Amino acid sequence: MTGTTRSSAGLDPRRRRILYRSWHRGTREMDLLMGRFADALISELSEEDVADFEKLIEVEDPDLFGWINTGVPDPAFDTPIFHRFRLFHLSGESVPEI
């Protein structure tokens, strides 16, 4: 069981891969953070946000978790999608596009 609550039906192949990767990162904690965000917003992300989220998925779990906690990512990942991802989890709900 992946934990996902969203079907990949209707998503293009790129977004399907992102949805899958979001729920299969390696640590359950990060699966839940990335997966819940992807479930909620993958279909509405812009192409630029999708590209930035793909890069964010590749960040090592301890680094990404630290950035989420501090709000200070590596400058290469200081993107609107990172801040939207972080606010999503801090607020416990979807947040508007930044």
Side-chain angles (χ1 to χ4, degrees), residues 80-96:
I81 198 65
F82 168 77
H83 293 285
R84 191 172 181 192
F85 170 67
R86 183 172 183 267
L87 288 173
F88 178 87
H89 293 295
L90 292 177
S91 69
E93 58 187 59
S94 182
V95 294

Side-chain angles (χ1 to χ4, degrees), residues 23-78:
W23 280 106
H24 296 87
R25 292 191 44 87
T27 63
R28 188 63 183 151
E29 294 83 357
M30 199 53 67
D31 289 353
L32 291 168
L33 292 174
M34 298 293 279
R36 284 182 44 235
F37 181 80
D39 276 359
L41 300 172
I42 193 69
S43 63
E44 67 184 59
L45 295 179
S46 69
E47 290 302 312
E48 182 179 352
D49 287 341
V50 166
D52 288 341
F53 193 60
E54 282 176 318
K55 293 174 189 170
L56 203 56
I57 288 172
E58 298 304 320
V59 173
E60 295 292 325
D61 290 349
D63 294 333
L64 185 54
F65 193 72
W67 300 346
I68 293 167
N69 287 327
T70 65
V72 182
D74 180 282
F77 296 91
D78 193 2

